[in-house]
Amino acid sequence: MRAILAITMLSLSLSGCLDNNELATKTAKVIGQVTSSLNQASPQENPQSESVTLVSGKGDVGHRDFNAAKKVLPRVFVGMEEDFYCGCAYSGKTVNLDSCGYVPRKNAARASRIEWEHVVPASHLGSQRQCWQNGGRKNCTATDKLFAQMEGDLNNLVPAVGEVNGDRGNLSYGAWTRNPTPVYGQCQSLPDFKLKRFQPREEVRGRAARISLYMHQRYTLKMSNQDKQLWWSVPLPVDTNLRWIITTKEQCS
């Protein structure tokens, strides 16, 4: 809930509902509450006893595992067919590389297709659960319904160029340069394989931050000090594909 409040305040700023001073005061207060909550969270506090019911049909409403989520994600992103990391247009599963000036780094075949990327990596979702210690992701997916729910949470899944999705893997996000040396042509996201980190382009850092806050608060995950420092220190612009932004005057009252 605190993460949602922070999201709401930042969204209200975009819509003109809060002036800058009011936004700064209220956002700082909520961020402090969220940080305190995340500091106190531990793996044992995860909702282990939560009753989880998963659905699988395209027309069903409810929580899904990853395979079921992939069935509905194309419909979720109708009208917003743009890759998360590079801004490439896509149709179906095919990426229009020319639309974003993308140049494959190594794997042209994988670069040509859209895949569904976990903003908060599956390894981070599972590593704090016993199932992961007993057999990794495969075991968690098969035996732990709450992990399956986290893995298939639609809020955490975005379309990504397959090659970039593979390169990002489970690398932590970072922000270290405003003038990235191109890795994928004109794409502004880049990996640092040596330091094991990944810098998303500036246009989507706000959405990445909000997704991360939501996932950590919703599932009581521990957030690393590195992530806390990143999300509280970098600008968090709201991109045009943020589907649940509050903008109407009625919601401002």
Side-chain angles (χ1 to χ4, degrees):
M1 180 59 70
R2 294 184 181 93
I4 294 171
L5 287 172
I7 291 165
T8 300
M9 289 179 183
L10 290 162
S11 301
L12 285 170
S13 172
L14 184 70
S15 65
C17 297
L18 297 179
D19 61 33
N20 289 336
N21 290 335
E22 186 179 4
L23 172 70
T25 300
K26 292 189 175 182
T27 301
K29 180 179 180 180
V30 173
I31 283 176
Q33 293 174 332
V34 175
T35 304
S36 176
S37 176
L38 291 171
N39 282 335
Q40 295 171 7
S42 68
Q44 288 72 32
E45 290 172 331
N46 280 339
Q48 301 275 3
S49 60
E50 181 177 329
S51 177
V52 177
T53 301
L54 302 176
V55 301
S56 59
K58 287 186 177 181
D60 295 337
V61 176
H63 301 296
R64 298 170 176 271
D65 63 20
F66 186 37
N67 286 330
K70 288 187 285 187
K71 294 179 182 178
V72 300
L73 280 164
R75 187 172 61 189
V76 171
F77 281 86
V78 166
M80 300 179 292
E81 290 90 351
E82 181 182 282
D83 146 72
F84 189 70
Y85 290 127
C86 301
C88 304
Y90 68 89
S91 178
K93 295 182 178 180
T94 303
V95 181
N96 181 350
L97 300 181
D98 291 337
S99 69
C100 58
Y102 188 96
V103 178
R105 181 185 70 84
K106 186 177 180 180
N107 191 332
R110 193 168 180 183
S112 68
R113 67 174 184 258
I114 278 292
E115 297 177 358
W116 297 105
E117 156 80 325
H118 290 86
V119 173
V120 179
S123 61
H124 182 71
L125 302 176
S127 62
Q128 299 177 35
R129 301 190 66 76
Q130 188 61 46
C131 62
W132 197 271
Q133 316 308 320
N134 295 338
R137 183 173 180 176
K138 184 176 181 180
N139 182 54
C140 280
T141 300
T143 64
D144 188 327
K145 283 193 173 182
L146 185 55
F147 172 82
Q149 177 184 328
M150 290 191 286
E151 188 184 29
D153 193 315
L154 299 178
N155 294 290
N156 190 41
L157 293 164
V158 294
V161 171
E163 182 180 42
V164 183
N165 182 31
D167 285 350
R168 190 269 168 129
N170 63 355
L171 299 180
S172 296
Y173 285 142
W176 60 88
T177 178
R178 286 186 172 274
N179 299 294
T181 300
V183 175
Y184 311 106
Q186 296 177 25
C187 176
Q188 293 297 297
S189 295
L190 71 155
D192 186 326
F193 298 114
K194 183 177 181 180
L195 296 179
K196 297 183 179 180
R197 56 184 181 173
F198 185 92
Q199 177 172 290
R201 60 190 177 114
E202 289 191 31
E203 293 87 344
V204 297
R205 290 178 196 171
R207 185 155 39 135
R210 291 167 178 81
I211 291 171
S212 183
L213 286 171
Y214 160 77
M215 291 297 290
H216 282 81
Q217 187 71 7
R218 170 65 182 84
Y219 298 107
T220 322
L221 302 173
K222 294 192 73 173
M223 181 179 284
S224 69
N225 290 331
Q226 177 182 323
D227 281 349
K228 291 174 189 175
Q229 183 178 9
L230 174 67
W231 299 136
W232 302 148
S233 63
V234 301
L236 304 180
V238 180
D239 66 279
T240 55
N241 281 353
L242 192 61
R243 296 185 298 282
W244 28 266
I245 186 171
I246 296 179
T247 57
T248 66
K249 291 183 179 178
E250 290 78 8
Q251 290 167 315
C252 294
S253 59

